[in-house]
Amino acid sequence: MKPVRSPLTGLLLPVAGFAVLAALPLIFSDAFFVAAVTLAFLGAAASLAWNLSGGYAGQLSLGHAAFYGLGAYVSTILFLKAGISPLIGMWLGAIVSAALAVFLGAITMRLKGSFFVMSTLAFGAVVHISAINLRDLTGGPSGLAIPLRPSPENLIFAKKLIYTYVALVLVIVFYAITRMIAASKIGYALVAFRENHDAARALGIRTLPLRIGVFALSAGLISICGTVHAQYYLYVDPDSVMGLNLSLNFALMAIVGGLGTAYGPIVGALLVSVVSVVMQAYLGDQISGLTQLAYAAIVILVLLVAPTGLGPSAHAFLKRRMTWLS
Amino acid sequence: MDIYIQLALSGLFIGGVYALISVGLTLVFGVLRVVNFAHGEYLTIAMYLTYFMFQRVGIDPFVASIAVVPLMFVLGLATERLLIRPTLEAPHVVQVFVTFALSLFLQNLLLALFTSDFRSVRTPYATAAFQIGPLYVSWLRAAVFVVALAFAGGLAAFLKYTYMGSAIRATAQDRRSARLVGINVDRVYAVTFALGCALVGAAGILLSPLFSVNPYTGADMILVSFVIVVLGGMGSIAGAVTAGLLIGVVESFTGYLAGGELKQLVYFVLFMIVLAVRPNGLFGRKGAEVMDVT
Amino acid sequence: MAVLTATGLTKRFGGLTAVKNVSFIARPGEILSIIGPNGAGKTTVFNLLTGFVRPDGGSVSLDNQDFRGMSPESRCRAGLARTFQIVQPFRGLSVLDNVVMGAMLRARSIEMAREIARQVLSDLDMSALCDVPAGQLPIGDRKRLEMAKVLATSPRALLLDEVMGGLIPIEVKRMIDFIRRLRERGIALVVIEHHMNAVMQLSDHILVLQNGEPIANGAPAEVTRDPVVLSAYLGANFALSGS
Ligand SMILES: Nc1ncnc2c1ncn2[C@@H]1O[C@H](COP(=O)(O)OP(=O)(O)OP(=O)(O)O)[C@@H](O)[C@H]1O
Ligand SMILES: [Mg+2]
């Protein structure tokens, strides 16, 4: 919450961090690693988007995969049926998602805690089931394939590495947006709501329009990630872009890394992909479920031992160490 | 006409099991104020236990319940001790995601152990039926219905007539006062959570001869249970039973009229409408669910 | 300068009438104390004034603005602020950020809000606590933080609900001085307090509630001579603490 006033942590550290991230796929240029890094970046971007509403305002949505999927479907359908470039479709998808988020928010933003969570679960399920059943539009359960016609204007690249940097750009932009909001009155008001609703009201802080607005922004941004997902895989199907597990993962990455911090989702996403790379390297695909099993165990441990997330906990630990030493 | 009665009947029968699943969830919420998002996995575990007892040892599901229900109770006690109690005072996000992570953990544990293959318990009496007038009634489904309601009734009696039951009800009303009159609230929490697991375990046993099981079975079922619990009013057992039966019938009709996939759509939309219009449920008291906002 | 007026406030909770026909006027630069035994309905009066609880009857206005139907947020924006008897800090945030939340109301940017917050904290001798997480404060400091948060909203009328509860004597003395300074700034003050000594030192007027009903209303000297009050509430204790 407190703005990082020293230029070192405020600007230099993030810039250095992003430079390291940018170098990652060059150092580990093996296709397997590039794929892992790309997915980590895309996950980080999506989780950053989720975190705007889920982390700062504490609106724990588990329906965000619906917006992610909408981004994937809207741009893909427009591209396949009308030849509209995904570069445009991406924005249309974002607008559709944001509009839907405003509608959903207007209904659900007065629900407390778990009731809000359940309402977003149901919303996610409704959109998911609709995508499966609107066969003419979505291709049903088997999904839609995008023909490989590489060109920047189609947002299709033969070299997978380019997607890595597209995803990294999203991460950097979303990070910057997060920092801006967090340091503004809007960000403070959201945090006030999250921390203590009555206290916020007693101080004249009006949050409903802000919460709905940030929910819509969050939905729009995550929808853009969905479009990039579609272009990366050149394939969209309901389970892989709208499943509940996807929503859960957006949230868990932010929670593991540090909920309501700008860097948390990035830390979380990287950690998740390290776990999955390590598990796959050691175990291969012999037994399905092991990677997710390890991941779930880590999440539980983090929640019990470092409930504010790894980033903030490490920070607090270091600070205690420093004051000790001095 | 007969087909509608038949539909209503089969919906009612399955609704009995839904009710039993939901009673556990609503009880835990009413007392601990925690929504157990891993509730469905306990259903799955109970179904696997029943399956293996049947397959390996040849014990009939109805008999297996004598062992499975207590096992689920113990599993519930362990879960409460390890994950729920340490997070009761934690921020809301921790409470929500600890049970979600548990759900993910259990699903994948089952996946690693048993793969995603479907397994079914095939009892010799699965297809036996009797006839009342124009209606065909499956012995098995009728028995499942009766046993499910017997469990729910047993719970109600337990809450009403035992000391622990009164303690649970008192704690649900007001945990601070409960503590003041000397109720061991920690024990109440443990027993309540374990009861929730035992009840959903019982539901799992009853579902075993009807449905095959894989690691995702519970997760698929549990969404219905959220609908039921909210519809009945969070924390209300009578509400959960009524709403369970109601949803069973609604599902049966929409499945027939609109097709299997759309029936889910119907009750999720119904769910959203209830949350928007009457978040305290059709029968619930107003309270924990909405805040004043501007 | 603002005048806070309550007229005929009434609130029932089920069968219990928690507040019954309470009226008063709080003027700028004056302190009105509301006293009464536990459960008399004092906090409920504050909840009615600030809009956290909807009245069954009566009205509230600040200057000539009728508050009917207004949310707590809007009332605070109009200049009526309150503290909570059970303090409501933003636990996870630093003391400074807690106060910034209040200061945002009158500040265009977070930078400005932070300036205001620092000023308020320094007025309350809390500058040293700026970076401490609010959840880690001892009770005395929490009460002061509760004050700091609302003061940062620059209220015209301020409701203080037992801000001295749990304070040690030296802290009480400082709080009394501080509240006097607020009065000098021309804020209309309504104070709920069990601490009779403080009440006698501070009050320009006293309103006594019992079972939700006003049983006396007037200057401290009048109220303390009122036989109804003496028998109903103050009793022998008062003679001790008032001396
Ligand atoms: N939200 C509520 N619902 C039901 N009853 C309430 C509610 N708020 C207050 N009450 C009841 O109204 C009565 C007055 O309570 P209130 O808190 O206003 O008293 P008080 O004068 O502030 O007491 P204290 O000195 O202990 O703070 C009490 O009997 C209380 O139990
Ligand atoms: Mg009070």
Side-chain angles (χ1 to χ4, degrees):
Chain A
M1 196 70 224
K2 220 181 72 191
V4 217
R5 240 165 282 116
S6 83
L8 177 73
T9 45
L11 196 60
L12 286 182
L13 207 62
V15 168
F18 288 127
V20 171
L21 292 188
L24 272 183
L26 302 177
I27 302 168
F28 305 101
S29 55
D30 177 277
F32 172 71
F33 281 107
V34 170
V37 171
T38 310
L39 292 185
F41 288 173
L42 197 57
S47 184
L48 276 163
W50 182 88
N51 186 47
L52 276 176
S53 171
Y56 285 92
Q59 307 275 186
L60 304 175
S61 159
L62 285 173
H64 262 55
F67 304 126
Y68 188 87
L70 271 171
Y73 271 109
V74 169
S75 66
T76 302
I77 291 169
L78 287 175
F79 183 62
L80 294 180
K81 306 244 153 122
I84 296 172
S85 159
L87 287 173
I88 297 167
M90 154 173 114
W91 296 106
L92 295 175
I95 290 169
V96 171
S97 292
L100 205 57
V102 169
F103 171 73
L104 178 66
I107 298 177
T108 59
M109 284 284 166
R110 73 202 177 95
L111 295 172
K112 273 190 195 165
S114 301
F115 289 81
F116 179 80
V117 177
M118 286 188 285
S119 73
T120 58
L121 274 176
F123 168 77
V126 167
V127 174
H128 187 180
I129 297 169
S130 306
I132 294 174
N133 286 287
L134 296 171
R135 283 167 211 275
D136 294 342
L137 205 56
T138 63
S142 51
L144 298 168
I146 303 171
L148 176 64
R149 273 189 251 123
S151 100
E153 157 196 347
N154 289 351
L155 201 60
I156 298 175
F157 308 101
K159 261 182 83 179
K160 287 291 179 192
L161 189 60
I162 298 177
Y163 289 106
T164 318
Y165 288 101
V166 169
L168 182 59
V169 168
L170 290 185
V171 172
I172 295 172
V173 172
F174 290 7
Y175 173 84
I177 292 174
T178 305
R179 285 280 299 265
M180 266 163 51
I181 290 180
S184 74
K185 284 176 71 174
I186 295 177
Y188 269 71
L190 295 178
V191 170
F193 168 80
R194 179 192 75 197
E195 292 284 313
N196 190 333
H197 181 209
D198 278 340
R201 308 187 79 196
L203 297 178
I205 300 172
R206 215 175 264 147
T207 61
L208 184 63
L210 298 182
R211 285 185 290 134
I212 293 179
V214 168
F215 193 55
L217 176 67
S218 163
L221 295 181
I222 212 163
S223 161
I224 291 175
C225 299
T227 301
V228 173
H229 175 112
Q231 301 307 107
Y232 175 72
Y233 286 102
L234 295 175
Y235 177 67
V236 183
D237 76 293
D239 287 352
S240 59
V241 297
M242 282 180 171
L244 168 60
N245 270 343
L246 205 58
S247 291
L248 193 55
N249 273 326
F250 300 148
L252 289 179
M253 286 188 266
I255 289 166
V256 167
L259 192 71
T261 65
Y263 63 86
I266 306 175
V267 172
L270 290 175
L271 185 91
V272 168
S273 71
V274 168
V275 170
S276 110
V277 166
V278 168
M279 292 296 286
Q280 280 190 16
Y282 280 93
L283 298 165
D285 282 330
Q286 295 160 357
I287 304 176
S288 51
L290 281 185
T291 303
Q292 288 280 309
L293 186 67
Y295 177 46
I298 291 175
V299 170
I300 292 175
L301 272 181
V302 169
L303 286 171
L304 291 180
V305 180
T308 51
L310 292 178
S313 300
H315 188 217
F317 178 76
L318 286 178
K319 223 167 97 184
R320 244 177 293 140
R321 262 303 172 73
M322 304 271 260
T323 42
W324 237 35
L325 292 177
S326 63
Chain B
M1 191 57 221
D2 291 348
I3 180 71
Y4 293 113
I5 299 175
Q6 189 80 53
L7 280 172
L9 198 64
S10 70
L12 210 58
F13 282 176
I14 200 68
V17 184
Y18 287 172
L20 189 55
I21 300 175
S22 312
V23 159
L25 195 61
T26 212
L27 176 72
V28 170
F29 179 83
V31 177
L32 285 82
R33 298 277 136 190
V34 166
V35 175
N36 179 13
F37 288 102
H39 198 64
E41 276 59 47
Y42 290 86
L43 183 87
T44 319
I45 291 172
M47 287 179 81
Y48 270 109
L49 283 173
T50 313
Y51 169 80
F52 283 112
M53 289 191 131
F54 181 76
Q55 206 64 21
R56 298 278 157 82
V57 199
I59 301 175
D60 181 88
F62 285 92
V63 180
S65 63
I66 297 167
V68 173
V69 170
L71 263 174
M72 296 305 296
F73 187 88
V74 172
L75 196 61
L77 282 180
T79 311
E80 197 274 342
R81 193 74 194 75
L82 292 174
L83 295 181
I84 306 300
R85 195 177 303 179
T87 54
L88 272 181
E89 299 299 320
H92 182 244
V93 56
V94 173
Q95 281 179 8
V96 168
F97 284 94
V98 93
T99 57
F100 258 113
L102 176 64
S103 147
L104 200 62
F105 181 87
L106 292 174
Q107 258 176 41
N108 287 289
L109 183 67
L110 294 170
L111 186 65
L113 290 174
F114 308 129
T115 75
S116 61
D117 295 348
F118 281 98
R119 292 158 202 260
S120 14
V121 171
R122 273 182 236 292
T123 51
Y125 48 78
T127 52
F130 61 93
Q131 202 173 357
I132 312 175
L135 297 177
Y136 283 92
V137 182
S138 149
W139 275 111
L140 176 58
R141 284 173 186 261
V144 162
F145 177 72
V146 169
V147 175
L149 287 195
F151 268 107
L155 174 72
F158 171 80
L159 291 178
K160 190 149 185 210
Y161 296 117
T162 64
Y163 170 77
M164 193 27 114
S166 313
I168 289 175
R169 281 186 295 133
T171 310
Q173 286 276 326
D174 182 346
R175 51 174 96 167
R176 251 194 32 217
S177 310
R179 210 166 246 139
L180 286 180
V181 298
I183 290 172
N184 183 343
V185 171
D186 283 344
R187 238 186 88 194
V188 165
Y189 285 167
V191 170
T192 305
F193 192 87
L195 268 179
C197 293
L199 288 165
V200 75
I205 298 163
L206 295 176
L207 283 176
S208 294
L210 298 174
F211 293 94
S212 45
V213 61
N214 89 346
Y216 307 113
T217 307
D220 291 342
M221 287 271 178
I222 205 61
L223 285 172
V224 193
S225 182
F226 290 141
V227 178
I228 291 166
V229 164
V230 170
L231 202 63
M234 274 290 220
S236 157
I237 289 170
V241 171
T242 318
L245 298 177
L246 187 71
I247 286 289
V249 174
V250 167
E251 190 187 73
S252 169
F253 275 87
T254 50
Y256 175 74
L257 298 172
E261 287 155 348
L262 288 178
K263 72 183 183 191
Q264 281 201 318
L265 201 61
V266 169
Y267 58 64
F268 284 131
V269 171
L270 185 73
F271 183 51
M272 301 281 300
I273 294 173
V274 169
L275 277 174
V277 183
R278 240 186 113 77
N280 51 326
L282 297 179
F283 322 103
R285 271 179 306 143
K286 225 170 119 78
E289 62 295 324
V290 289
M291 52 196 164
D292 283 343
V293 286
T294 47
Chain C
M1 292 300 104
V3 180
L4 174 68
T5 316
T7 317
L9 286 178
T10 299
K11 179 67 195 177
R12 284 180 289 273
F13 293 116
L16 171 88
T17 304
V19 172
K20 197 168 176 185
N21 203 14
V22 169
S23 306
F24 60 78
I25 298 177
R27 293 190 178 79
E30 289 185 2
I31 296 177
L32 167 69
S33 290
I34 301 183
I35 61 172
N38 290 109
K42 306 180 294 292
T43 298
T44 305
V45 168
F46 276 15
N47 286 335
L48 292 169
L49 293 171
T50 50
F52 278 92
V53 164
R54 287 202 189 91
D56 292 315
S59 63
V60 179
S61 65
L62 188 64
D63 286 338
N64 294 318
Q65 185 180 13
D66 188 349
F67 276 179
R68 193 179 306 271
M70 275 167 68
S71 65
E73 297 88 307
S74 310
R75 292 181 196 211
C76 177
R77 285 164 177 263
L80 175 64
R82 68 160 314 165
T83 65
F84 289 96
Q85 179 177 0
I86 299 166
V87 291
Q88 302 284 338
F90 302 104
R91 289 171 178 283
L93 308 185
S94 70
V95 166
L96 181 66
D97 279 340
N98 265 269
V99 185
V100 165
M101 294 298 181
M104 286 201 298
L105 190 56
R106 313 285 177 213
R108 219 166 306 122
S109 69
I110 285 295
E111 288 310 315
M112 262 171 79
R114 208 170 279 128
E115 280 318 302
I116 298 174
R118 281 186 202 288
Q119 184 58 50
V120 171
L121 284 170
S122 120
D123 288 350
L124 276 160
D125 295 326
M126 294 181 77
S127 295
L129 299 174
C130 276
D131 293 331
V132 179
Q136 293 175 11
L137 291 177
I139 179 67
D141 290 338
R142 279 192 212 194
K143 290 270 180 186
R144 280 197 292 164
L145 175 60
E146 188 72 13
M147 279 281 266
K149 283 191 311 179
V150 294
L151 281 175
T153 67
S154 309
R156 297 185 295 153
L158 180 56
L159 315 177
L160 301 175
D161 198 345
E162 296 197 24
V163 287
M164 298 182 209
L167 298 196
I168 55 174
I170 182 155
E171 290 173 329
V172 169
K173 193 175 168 312
R174 266 195 264 156
M175 191 59 96
I176 290 174
D177 290 342
F178 189 75
I179 293 174
R180 283 206 176 112
R181 266 184 282 151
L182 294 180
R183 170 169 56 186
E184 282 155 26
R185 282 197 221 161
I187 298 175
L189 286 154
V190 183
V191 174
I192 294 177
E193 203 51 68
H194 275 303
H195 217 279
M196 280 316 298
N197 212 337
V199 170
M200 296 313 294
Q201 289 184 45
L202 281 171
S203 311
D204 298 300
H205 302 277
I206 296 180
L207 170 67
V208 188
L209 292 186
Q210 189 188 23
N211 297 327
E213 281 187 82
I215 53 169
N217 189 354
E222 289 169 42
V223 168
T224 49
R225 277 200 307 271
D226 189 324
V228 181
V229 176
L230 285 174
S231 64
Y233 169 59
L234 298 171
N237 280 341
F238 171 70
L240 280 175
S241 53
S243 61

